[in-house]
C-alpha cells in the first residue's frame, strides 16, 4: 500500500483552485444566481435565509425548474430580480 504523490498533488491543486474561486464568498454566506435564462445576476446571501419559509418557496420553484442541475454552477433562482431583492430586503429587516 503506497501513496501516489502525483495524484495527491493534482487533487491539492484542484482544491486550491476551487477555494480561490469561492474565496469571494464570506463564511456563512452562499452565492445564488437570480433571473431568467437570458439575464442572470449573482448575489451573495446569508445561509440563514435558506431556512425562511418565503425563501423556501423560491427554492421549490428552483427545484421544479432545474431539479438538482443548476446551469450556473451554483444555486439558481428563476424569479424576477426585483422580487428577489424585495424578499431579501424583508428578510434582512426581520433579522
Amino acid at each position: 500500500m503506497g501513496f501516489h504523490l502525483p495524484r495527491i498533488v493534482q487533487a491539492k491543486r484542484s482544491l486550491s483552485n476551487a477555494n480561490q474561486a469561492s474565496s469571494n464568498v464570506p463564511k456563512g454566506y452562499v452565492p445564488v444566481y437570480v433571473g431568467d435564462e437570458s439575464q442572470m445576476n449573482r448575489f451573495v446571501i446569508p445561509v440563514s435565509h435558506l431556512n425562511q419559509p418565503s425563501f423556501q418557496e423560491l427554492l421549490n420553484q428552483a427545484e421544479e425548474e432545474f431539479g438538482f442541475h443548476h446551469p450556473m454552477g451554483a444555486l439558481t433562482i428563476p424569479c424576477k430580480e426585483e422580487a428577489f431583492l424585495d424578499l431579501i430586503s424583508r428578510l434582512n429587516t426581520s433579522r
Side-chain angles (χ1 to χ4, degrees):
M1 181 166 174
F3 292 101
H4 296 281
L5 193 55
R7 289 184 187 164
I8 293 172
V9 171
Q10 183 180 10
K12 187 175 179 180
R13 281 189 199 134
S14 294
L15 286 174
S16 176
N17 291 340
N19 286 337
Q20 288 173 358
S22 64
S23 65
N24 57 351
V25 178
K27 186 174 183 176
Y29 288 77
V30 62
V32 296
Y33 287 91
V34 178
D36 60 21
E37 290 181 23
S38 64
Q39 176 74 30
M40 289 279 184
N41 290 312
R42 184 176 186 260
F43 296 89
V44 178
I45 62 168
V47 171
S48 60
H49 286 355
L50 299 177
N51 291 326
Q52 299 301 319
S54 53
F55 201 87
Q56 289 286 322
E57 290 178 34
L58 289 180
L59 293 175
N60 288 335
Q61 289 176 9
E63 181 183 7
E64 287 175 16
E65 185 160 330
F66 299 110
F68 293 105
H69 171 71
H70 294 275
M72 299 298 291
L75 182 60
T76 307
I77 310 256
C79 75
K80 293 189 181 284
E81 186 175 328
E82 297 82 24
F84 178 80
L85 290 173
D86 181 57
L87 173 62
I88 295 302
S89 175
R90 286 185 280 130
L91 291 175
N92 285 338
T93 57
S94 68
R95 290 169 98 195

